[in-house]
Amino acid sequence: MRVTSAAVLRVPAVTAMVAAVVLGPGLSAVAEPAPRRIAPEADVSHHGRVSLQDERLGVQLRTGNRGPSPLSDATVRLRFSVPLAAGQRLPQGCLRADSRTVLCGTGPLRVAGAARRTALGLRLTGRPEEVVVRVDTVWNGGASDRNRRNDTYEVLALSTGDAYAF
């Protein structure tokens, strides 16, 4: 097998290198780019309840995966229209991103497996009459999700102690 010299094509703002390998009389092969890796697809979904009583906000969240690919982890963002009180403990896997935002990791999500549960008991600053809670997925392990309608919610909870479902 004999290798010929490489030719360089110069086009404005683009330089491409083409290497030809001669396989025999009149036969040659040109190197092709590696195939693109296709991202897995998963349908993350969130459902739950929100309740507000005085300055206490309760959030019960269930996160599932409708597939077709399993996920090693996902991150759920919970944003609140009222700032959270300082100095409170969050469940394992959750952290405060700022005064109005909490991020929670779900852990592995199997396809059509049991939903991951997250329970938050939060104190808010003051005693608001209402709070808006926004729930969405900010990371799903790099998978594509064609149905974002079931992982993005906005819930208004009044300070009645009633549970508002989403």
Side-chain angles (χ1 to χ4, degrees), residues 90 97 99 122:
L90 295 173
S99 66
L122 302 169

Side-chain angles (χ1 to χ4, degrees), residues 49-164:
R49 298 177 308 213
V50 175
S51 62
L52 176 63
Q53 180 80 41
D54 300 323
E55 77 282 354
R56 303 288 303 172
L57 179 69
V59 179
Q60 301 293 320
L61 180 66
R62 292 183 330 271
T63 302
N65 177 10
R66 297 179 182 184
S69 299
L71 296 174
S72 61
D73 199 6
T75 303
V76 180
R77 176 174 47 197
L78 300 133
R79 293 179 288 171
F80 310 99
S81 62
V82 175
L84 302 172
Q88 53 189 314
R89 294 180 60 113
L90 295 173
Q92 185 175 359
C94 295
L95 60 87
R96 278 180 80 157
D98 59 40
S99 66
R100 296 174 186 245
T101 308
V102 172
L103 302 171
C104 295
T106 64
L109 295 173
R110 293 188 341 228
V111 176
R116 292 294 195 153
R117 296 179 182 270
T118 304
L120 298 162
L122 302 169
R123 289 186 333 276
L124 303 172
T125 58
R127 292 181 150 215
E129 293 182 14
E130 63 185 35
V131 65
V132 175
V133 179
R134 293 173 185 85
V135 179
D136 65 333
T137 303
V138 290
W139 184 73
N140 64 359
S144 63
D145 188 343
R146 294 182 189 186
N147 183 11
R148 295 302 308 261
R149 292 183 308 256
N150 61 0
D151 69 334
T152 304
Y153 292 96
E154 189 169 288
V155 183
L156 172 66
L158 303 177
S159 184
T160 60
D162 295 326
Y164 297 89

